[in-house]
Amino acid sequence: MSLEIIGITVLWTFLFGYILIGAIDFGAGFFNAYSLLTGKKHILTNIIQRYLSPVWEVTNVFLVFFFVGIIGFFPKTAFYYGTTLLVPVSIGIILLAIRGSYYAFETYGSRGHKGYSFMYGLSGLLLPASLSIVLTISEGGFVEMVDGNPVLDYWLLFTSPLTWSIVVLSIAATLYISAVFLTWYANKARYFEAANLLRKYALIWALPTIITAGGIIFELRRHNPEHYANIQNFWPMFLISFIMFIGTVWLLWIRRNYGLAFILLAGQFIFAFFGYGASHYPYLLYPYLTIYDSFTNPAMAISLIVVFIMGLGLLIPSLYLLMRLFLFDKDYVRGKSKHHA
Amino acid sequence: MGNEEAVFFSRVLTETTLSFHIIYATIGVGVPLMIMIAQWVGIKKNDEHYILLARRWARGFIITVAVGVVTGTAIGLQLSLLWPNFMELAGNVIALPLFMETFAFFFEAIFLGIYLYTWDRFENQKKHLLLLIPVAIGASFSAVFITMVNAFMNAPRGFDIVNGELININPLVAMFNPAMPTKVAHVVVTAYMTAAFVLAAIAAFRLLKGSNHEYHKKALYLTMKIGLIFAIATAVIGDFSGKYLAEYQPEKLAAAEWHFETEGNAPLIMYGVLDDGEVKYAIKIPYALSILAHSIPSAEVIGLDQFPEDEIPPLYIHYLFDIMVTIGVWMVLLAAVFWIGTKRRWKMVTTRWFRWLIVLGGPLSIIAIEAGWWLAEVGRQPWVLRKIMRTQDAATTSGHVDTMLVLFCLLYLILGIGSVVILRRMFRKNPVEQEIEDRNMEKGGDML
């Protein structure tokens, strides 16, 4: 396995980590705000905050890790994506900033402030949309080289059905992932009312998620035939992903084993995400940038990988400790006592 | 928008983001150490007040961390968005500490989450103290690694450029460049100092505003003592920084000191104004610049005459230097007087006006941090990578930087006001007297 492949696999894994736990986080914020609006606050707020509070900061690190890592392993991405993404990513940063700080303001500063909760919920819904633009652009066709500098064609971007399908998918998937996870978490915490409500949300969002995901593959046939052809080569991964999706929905439907349902959901997205990533190979930005011509020098690559392995040695036990103390601790999950500062 | 405008707005936006971020980042680096010390003193002295101090600081700290994290994410992304050419080159050489910083940040984030939610979970406070160690280490090491990146911009090393190609890249040499030791030490120590003085200002303010509780007095004494130690350390390292500049970046020192001609027995110019190339109303301290630069009164100090005009940084950085040094020296004096005065029971240190001076010390320290960073960054102009890449060649070619600048200014305004409002409300609604009473009642309840 070449260093380039190791590099992109590491980064893709962290991006997946961000998408999964970020989706839980974004969706939770939205459901929280929605429950305020529909007068169901008493059902959801407690359970959502108990999960989010100790981990909200960790979620953010996955994103930082990804964008720092990609500059490290593939410095040329700074040139191509940095120039073209100024507007969409800046909007993403602003949403992220409002979200992160208003979460802290609401949770630790003034409990139950409605304005803060709405800002938090709304920004969480817009964020996946603003960040998913990057995926659209990577498919090629929206960036043109003018005098040796990449320029993004906004008109083409915003009129493309591919853009909007990816936006819809990101929102639907966010709400779906979040609802499935929270169903399991609420059930574990014995908040059965919350679990039932979230189960309903999960089932509602399952269909749009799978329809748009399929639709995107179809649209790629017109937009980027090469990528579409590659996807065909990975059809077993997408098939496994679809079977897992059916499994999750089935378990939710018969109200059994929500833990397994969430594991299947994670599996569904792992197979789809890595299948998509593998079929995108070798392009980072079609057709200008491949992982080979943008890869960093060997000295840097090796030192980054060494640091990465040492860093994981620290992180994995720490993350395990965090999960044991909060996610899998019965007393904490069930809210037996107040522990926070 | 032409390229010149894009460069200008990129610079303004970067400066705005960093200037806003470092307020929260400095607190973020310094306060965990203060919490740790308070917790430790509380355990050692078996004094509830210090434990409560740690707890209340931790509560306020969450708000500043939140703003620090989100603005840190902003600057992290803006580096690539606004300076794509720079990041493409730097990514090849200096990505290692950048990458390590995310691990330090990760580490801190995990343990901060655990620390905040395990306050009443452990019988033994010592176990809880152990959780703070990775938080403080993570916070300080983020500062160490990110400052290494900045030091690299001042003293790029660890690669050769042959025909426009980067070769012989050595990430460790890039990390441990000559600017690194003084920069890192100065940044970390001033963060500790500033955090201590900001917390001291809060304690002094509460004492002025009616509360005369033992808790605030203990807080004040502890933070002023820590502040004094780090303020002295800051001055010592500041001197080393001067010597570093004289050796490796003489144009920055010369511009900061308005040292126009290369000469020995160089005097140090304090204050004054520059009027048509002439220095007026300045205080000249004979030989001081030679001593600052080389520890020898007669040593020759390189002046601005040795550099082409287009490689000289703006001369207004002298004012920034004055602000930074004056505040630094002032805080050493103030903290020393307070410490000696408390030991010897001088009346003066408990007077209202003296406490007002301590209150003022908090914002002053933050102003010094800002002035110091502006000095360091503007003093590096016109280079983004000294002697390798000019700032104007590093900026984005996008035409939307001005709009983004407006958006981000609005964002920082909202975050700034929001965090202040929340912090005030948090502590107003729950003064320490109330909290001590509540805790005593809870404990009484436990015994029944």
Side-chain angles (χ1 to χ4, degrees), chain A residues 39-59:
Chain A
K40 288 174 181 159
K41 179 179 182 306
H42 56 286
I43 308 177
L44 290 185
T45 296
N46 249 332
I47 193 71
I48 286 173
Q49 284 202 332
R50 191 154 314 131
Y51 162 72
L52 282 182
S53 296
V55 301
W56 66 270
E57 210 194 337
V58 177
T59 311

Side-chain angles (χ1 to χ4, degrees), chain A residues 91-129:
Chain A
I91 292 171
I93 301 170
I94 289 170
L95 291 169
L96 209 69
I98 290 177
R99 227 184 100 72
S101 45
Y102 276 66
Y103 178 73
F105 293 176
E106 206 259 346
T107 314
Y108 306 101
S110 41
R111 249 170 214 287
H113 191 294
K114 272 197 179 179
Y116 292 172
S117 306
F118 280 126
M119 294 280 268
Y120 178 63
L122 191 68
S123 54
L125 204 59
L126 296 174
L127 248 170

Side-chain angles (χ1 to χ4, degrees), chain A residues 151-226:
Chain A
V151 175
L152 182 62
D153 188 331
Y154 286 95
W155 175 250
L156 258 178
L157 183 66
F158 285 111
T159 51
S160 159
L162 182 67
T163 310
W164 295 105
S165 311
I166 291 183
V167 166
V168 174
L169 172 67
S170 66
I171 293 172
T174 296
L175 295 173
Y176 175 56
I177 292 172
S178 185
V180 174
F181 174 84
L182 289 170
T183 306
W184 168 69
Y185 193 74
N187 194 57
K188 210 171 135 72
R190 303 178 169 277
Y191 273 88
F192 298 117
E193 210 183 347
N196 277 334
L197 187 61
L198 289 157
R199 169 183 167 271
K200 206 174 80 191
Y201 293 156
L203 290 171
I204 289 172
W205 288 105
L207 202 62
T209 304
I210 202 75
I211 289 174
T212 42
I216 284 164
I217 295 180
F218 179 73
E219 268 156 37
L220 273 179
R221 191 163 69 169
R222 269 182 46 209
H223 189 88
N224 184 342
E226 198 175 325

